Amino acid sequence: MLTPEPRRSRFELHWRMLGGDLRVQLLFWASCILVGVIYYQYPEIRDQLGVLAAFGLWMGVALIALLMHETGHILAAHRFGIGVRIVLSGLGGRLFGLDELRLWKKLLVVLAGPMMNVLLFGAAWSITFLPLPHDWRVTFAPALWLLMWVNAFWVLLNLLPLWPLDGGRIAVEIGGSLFGRRGQILALLLSLAVTVLLMLFVIAWMRLTLINPFDVHYTIYFVYFCILSLYCYAFWLSTFRALWGNAEPPERTSESDRAA
């Protein structure tokens, strides 16, 4: 295990869900609020729905998308006869309890999360083709659009080899299976490279967007780019700690995983 499981806190939510153990830390709620600022503070959306309604819609959609994601992990793990432990924190969900599984089973459990978001995206998209009354379509359009956007973004982010998200977990598991400790280090170095590329993307996007300081959208975009930069740094720091910090050292891949 590359990072220790976070300690329990008296302020976190904790419940059993479908045989899995789910914990939601305070940092998770702060993360949702920060990431969604461009949505519920965006002038057009704020004027159409109101700040409170837009904020509630964002938090509800984000929570549904992430809970469905973790449900995918739990159901897949349950299929293999184990109960996983999931901690929702500032960088998303962290999955624990897969050490006893063979490599191919670990990968299926990890991939089940993004695949659940793909199904949720497809379900929301299919609703747009239903012959609903015009009033219904107008009412549900913002929620469906936001649900599709959040799920698509979460799938793409989790497929990147970015630690500690699912793609980074897959890269580390495969690297460890092929080359042992050295493969895990290479996977984490790849994660560091991805964080640098993401940061460069954010900077390029900011330079293309923030060209007119008198634009009514200037402030909200500036704040959003600062938040994105903060998250790039958080991913970089998490990977750096997994490599050289005070986290628990990676375990060598078992012989059963190598034979899988």
Side-chain angles (χ1 to χ4, degrees):
M1 184 166 58
L2 292 170
T3 53
E5 186 171 350
R7 295 180 180 179
R8 296 186 182 274
S9 168
R10 58 186 294 187
F11 302 107
E12 68 184 20
L13 296 179
H14 174 213
W15 71 90
R16 297 281 296 176
M17 186 173 73
L18 302 173
D21 190 72
L22 187 65
R23 295 162 51 197
V24 184
Q25 298 185 319
L26 285 177
L27 195 57
F28 166 77
W29 304 109
S31 176
C32 286
I33 292 172
L34 288 175
V35 174
V37 67
I38 196 173
Y39 174 77
Y40 57 82
Q41 289 292 340
Y42 201 77
E44 283 79 359
I45 297 174
R46 185 177 58 200
D47 295 340
Q48 178 184 0
L49 300 179
V51 176
L52 291 180
F55 174 76
L57 180 60
W58 163 259
M59 293 296 291
V61 166
L63 188 60
I64 289 172
L66 288 174
L67 286 180
M68 289 297 292
H69 180 96
E70 307 309 336
T71 298
H73 292 314
I74 292 174
L75 290 177
H78 181 72
R79 176 64 179 81
F80 296 128
I82 65 170
V84 293
R85 303 181 304 278
I86 297 174
V87 181
L88 289 179
S89 187
L91 296 179
R94 297 192 179 189
L95 188 61
F96 301 93
L98 301 180
D99 297 336
E100 298 179 0
L101 292 180
R102 295 169 66 89
L103 175 63
W104 68 272
K105 292 182 178 180
K106 288 181 183 179
L107 298 183
L108 287 180
V109 172
V110 175
L111 281 173
M115 292 305 101
M116 187 65 78
N117 289 119
V118 172
L119 292 177
L120 189 56
F121 174 89
W125 186 47
S126 64
I127 293 176
T128 63
F129 293 96
L130 296 178
L132 298 176
H134 178 72
D135 292 344
W136 286 31
R137 297 181 70 88
V138 172
T139 301
F140 290 112
L144 289 176
W145 174 85
L146 185 59
L147 188 62
M148 289 189 292
W149 182 86
V150 169
N151 279 278
F153 173 80
W154 196 232
V155 168
L156 293 175
L157 191 63
N158 273 276
L159 291 181
L160 292 175
L162 185 63
W163 182 264
L165 300 182
D166 293 337
R169 178 71 180 263
I170 291 172
V172 167
E173 293 289 353
I174 294 177
S177 176
L178 295 176
F179 306 109
R181 168 70 174 176
R182 182 177 299 178
Q184 292 178 330
I185 292 176
L186 290 175
L188 291 172
L189 290 175
L190 177 61
S191 178
L192 286 179
V194 171
T195 60
V196 173
L197 292 176
L198 286 177
M199 189 68 236
L200 293 176
F201 173 78
V202 170
I203 294 173
W205 185 15
M206 180 174 63
R207 288 178 61 87
L208 291 174
T209 304
L210 300 181
I211 57 177
N212 181 11
F214 300 103
D215 188 347
V216 293
H217 302 142
Y218 186 92
T219 301
I220 185 63
Y221 270 113
F222 178 76
V223 172
Y224 190 61
F225 287 129
C226 290
I227 294 171
L228 292 182
S229 301
L230 177 64
Y231 273 89
C232 289
Y233 173 73
F235 281 120
W236 183 89
L237 183 61
S238 177
T239 306
F240 185 87
R241 291 187 61 192
L243 275 168
W244 297 293
N246 56 3
E248 296 179 1
E251 299 176 353
R252 292 190 63 86
T253 306
S254 65
E255 293 299 325
S256 60
D257 282 347
R258 291 180 182 275

